[in-house]
Amino acid sequence: MERPIDPPLPPDHRYVRDLDKTPANHVPLTPVAFLERNARVWPDRVAVRHGRLAITWAEFGQRARRLASALAARGVCRGDTVAIMAPNIPAMLEAHYAVPALGAVLNALNVRLDGEAIAFCLDHGAAKVLITDPEFAPAVRAALARTGRELLVVDIDDPEGPGGDRVGTIGYEALLAGGDPAYEWPGPVDEWDSLALLYTSGTTGNPKGVVYHHRGAYLNALGNALAFRLGHDSVYLWTLPMFHCNGWTYTWAVTAAGATHVCLRRVEPAAIFRAIRDHRVTHLCGAPIVLNLLVHAPAESKLAFDHVVDVATGGAAPPSAVIEAMEAMGFRVTHLYGLTESYGPAMLCAPQDGWESLPMTDRARLMARQGVAMPTLDRVQVADPSTGAPVPRDGATMGELMLRGNTIMKGYLANPDATAQAFAHGWFSTGDLAVWHPDGYVEIRDRSKDIIITGGENVSSLEVEECLYRHPSVMEAAVVARPDERWGETPCAFVTLKPGAPPVDAAEIIRWCRDRLAHFKAPKAVVFGPLPKTSTGKIQKYLLRDRARTPEGGAGRGL
């Protein structure tokens, strides 16, 4: 049942009268404050590493103030949008503080977007400035040719970058040189002020613009630091794109903990293992595809390290086989769950006492669940999507996962209908179908659009994928619905085999699943080859569904 909401206390109540908010007892929460603190507390400690570059907290703070000052001098005001197109480099981190510190809104763009999509984001978000890395000049130039806006375009100078054409009117370092390193930035007026704009990676039509506020970013950053055990002696490697949910708010969480940021332009196994060894990296994040890259990296890339590395993964349920393989290499995996609309991580699979004594296979299956609410999220529930009523906690009844709390977006920019639909029943509806276990842990069974209904029976694509990942020759797998004249739909598996693995055919894959699942859940067709992915490593199932509907999508039909 919903908790009753009492009316507010009257103005003359003893706990209201003469007890007001003042500058002494109330300051709007903002993640910008984390950098201000560190510049005072640890001015000479290294805050950011990038190749041969080492930036102290004092220098980081000064550079962010220079950027804020220079943007303000060029007319960026409270409520304006500043877009940035950059990989995981110091300029991207600096923008995460300088822009919100002005009361402006940061729009971190997906670096995989084409010119048309970039132009849509710039126009829809009404960007006033675009800071861009020369590596992405072709797409940015195409976007600038399409957009109807006049923009200040700034080219980033990155000595570790591959270079490229310049499309702007000023370089990033020249812009900072004209800024004031002691600039007193105004900050937000209210913690509900908009801080960031992020565009969802929609599969059809234009993406929706998700708006974050300062309070949510501050709280989610603290929740991440707490849940992921970050401390001032931690070293965080940037394998997760900073444009993705503002780096799941780790752009601020790492700073909140006083930890060191280690930038990485590209996610490559050799570079990751090298950074772990050279910088004694203690933490990193990434989609399951990043974990898979590390598990299947060439032997010569797998450098030894003598300490435990914490890895947080999310974006899809990590197969338990991948968790097992990561732990065997010296990584400790934490499973997170979230969406762009929830500032990234909203849930984690918090380990319970006694799990460590379980057999690895059983422990990995428990760890692969989405789990419970993050410390800074109010509540989660699995509920009937039509009524909002919670489903039984029996581990079997399916419902929609819903979230509520201060770390949920303000809404979709200029899209009130979509916002109202997302917040129906007083919860944020995720679109993920899940069960609620008796221990209170949530386990996602599928996206509502990914569930397969065969002969009237529901088949979880994730359950079939979990089975496929346990085949010794399978490196990656995805399962989607394929039209079937008799059953309506049947599961179709798309499989990438491990390099050097013994060859297998569709019949063997199907037989493997039939031996471990109810027969109606086993794939009726198998297609071998690489899987299409987004820039954040998510498998693009909508493309696979299109392929499954074509005659060649049924290639490799088995039993």
Side-chain angles (χ1 to χ4, degrees), residues 79 81 83 105 107 109 116-128 146-149 151 197-200 206-211 411-416 418-419:
T81 303
V105 178
N107 178 206
L109 296 168
E116 182 179 0
I118 296 168
F120 169 81
C121 296
L122 296 175
D123 287 337
H124 186 267
K128 200 167 186 175
R146 299 180 69 103
T147 183
R149 304 187 58 75
L151 295 162
L197 171 66
L198 295 152
Y199 285 94
T200 60
N206 289 322
K208 297 191 286 289
V210 175
V211 181
Y412 298 114
L413 182 66
N415 197 338
T419 300

Side-chain angles (χ1 to χ4, degrees), residues 309-343:
V309 178
D310 278 295
V311 179
T313 189
S320 57
V322 173
I323 294 177
E324 289 180 47
M326 286 293 288
E327 298 238 334
M329 289 195 300
F331 295 91
R332 179 167 53 198
V333 179
T334 298
H335 183 203
L336 304 174
Y337 166 84
L339 311 92
T340 303
E341 290 88 343
S342 64
Y343 296 72

Side-chain angles (χ1 to χ4, degrees), residues 148-501:
R149 304 187 58 75
E150 288 190 9
L151 295 162
L152 169 64
V153 181
V154 181
D155 291 306
I156 296 172
D157 315 287
D158 179 18
E160 300 294 326
D165 294 338
R166 291 178 172 265
V167 296
T169 56
I170 189 172
Y172 184 80
E173 294 300 327
L175 181 72
L176 264 63
D180 179 2
Y183 177 66
E184 289 292 329
W185 44 40
V189 173
D190 186 283
E191 57 194 30
W192 182 252
D193 286 355
S194 298
L195 172 144
L197 171 66
L198 295 152
Y199 285 94
T200 60
S201 53
T203 58
T204 57
N206 289 322
K208 297 191 286 289
V210 175
V211 181
Y212 291 173
H213 50 76
H214 286 254
R215 177 181 179 84
Y218 180 97
L219 291 172
N220 212 57
L222 290 182
N224 275 329
L226 178 63
F228 202 25
R229 301 173 293 276
L230 286 170
H232 69 272
D233 55 351
S234 300
V235 180
Y236 181 91
L237 180 63
W238 273 105
T239 48
L240 174 77
M242 292 187 201
F243 67 72
H244 187 46
C245 310
N246 295 118
W248 293 355
T249 72
Y250 279 99
T251 45
W252 303 300
V254 174
T255 301
T260 301
H261 299 265
V262 178
C263 293
L264 194 65
R265 280 190 74 100
R266 288 184 178 82
V267 176
E268 298 169 340
I272 293 171
F273 280 104
R274 193 162 53 245
I276 292 172
R277 182 196 63 187
D278 294 348
H279 299 302
R280 291 196 63 81
V281 166
T282 60
H283 295 74
L284 59 89
C285 294
I289 181 60
V290 175
L291 277 59
N292 224 14
L293 280 174
L294 298 178
V295 168
H296 298 292
E300 61 271 19
S301 297
K302 293 183 176 180
L303 303 179
F305 49 91
D306 59 1
H307 62 285
V308 174
V309 178
D310 278 295
V311 179
T313 189
S320 57
V322 173
I323 294 177
E324 289 180 47
M326 286 293 288
E327 298 238 334
M329 289 195 300
F331 295 91
R332 179 167 53 198
V333 179
T334 298
H335 183 203
L336 304 174
Y337 166 84
L339 311 92
T340 303
E341 290 88 343
S342 64
Y343 296 72
M347 300 175 66
L348 79 158
C349 194
Q352 293 287 341
D353 295 339
W355 283 11
E356 69 280 356
S357 62
L358 294 173
M360 185 64 236
T361 300
D362 294 338
R363 181 157 58 94
R365 285 201 175 98
L366 288 172
M367 291 167 61
R369 298 184 299 175
Q370 283 60 42
V372 295
M374 289 281 283
T376 43
L377 184 74
D378 179 33
R379 281 192 291 167
V380 305
Q381 71 168 9
V382 181
D384 183 323
S386 61
T387 65
V391 302
R393 300 190 185 193
D394 56 10
T397 305
M398 197 97 76
E400 183 173 359
L401 176 58
M402 300 181 181
L403 312 174
R404 172 187 284 178
N406 292 292
T407 53
I408 301 298
M409 66 170 180
K410 295 178 73 170
Y412 298 114
L413 182 66
N415 197 338
D417 291 342
T419 300
Q421 183 178 359
F423 292 155
H425 310 302
W427 294 77
F428 169 65
S429 299
T430 66
D432 284 318
L433 300 178
V435 296
W436 219 347
H437 289 278
D439 61 2
Y441 281 57
V442 170
E443 181 181 358
I444 288 177
R445 291 291 169 85
D446 233 326
R447 289 289 293 174
S448 57
K449 60 188 176 185
D450 291 339
I451 203 76
I452 301 165
I453 304 175
T454 180
E457 298 284 351
N458 288 351
V459 176
S460 164
S461 65
L462 298 183
E463 181 183 4
V464 184
E465 289 162 9
E466 170 75 14
C467 179
L468 288 167
Y469 269 98
R470 292 200 162 273
H471 189 285
S473 294
V474 172
M475 184 171 75
E476 294 178 339
V479 176
V480 299
R482 182 176 183 275
D484 187 274
E485 290 183 2
R486 180 180 181 185
W487 302 107
E489 295 177 340
T490 54
C492 176
F494 290 82
V495 171
T496 304
L497 298 178
K498 296 177 183 177

Side-chain angles (χ1 to χ4, degrees), residues 35-93:
L35 176 56
E36 294 179 310
R37 177 183 184 271
N38 289 3
R40 292 191 301 267
V41 176
W42 295 300
D44 300 322
R45 288 185 59 183
V46 173
V48 182
R49 293 191 183 277
H50 181 46
R52 295 180 296 275
L53 186 66
I55 302 171
T56 66
W57 285 113
E59 292 167 338
F60 187 1
Q62 290 167 2
R63 288 177 63 82
R65 290 184 187 277
R66 284 184 182 275
L67 177 56
S69 170
L71 291 174
R74 283 161 175 77
V76 175
C77 302
R78 189 177 304 282
D80 287 338
T81 303
V82 175
I84 182 167
M85 182 87 164
N88 292 347
I89 58 177
M92 184 67 135
L93 276 173

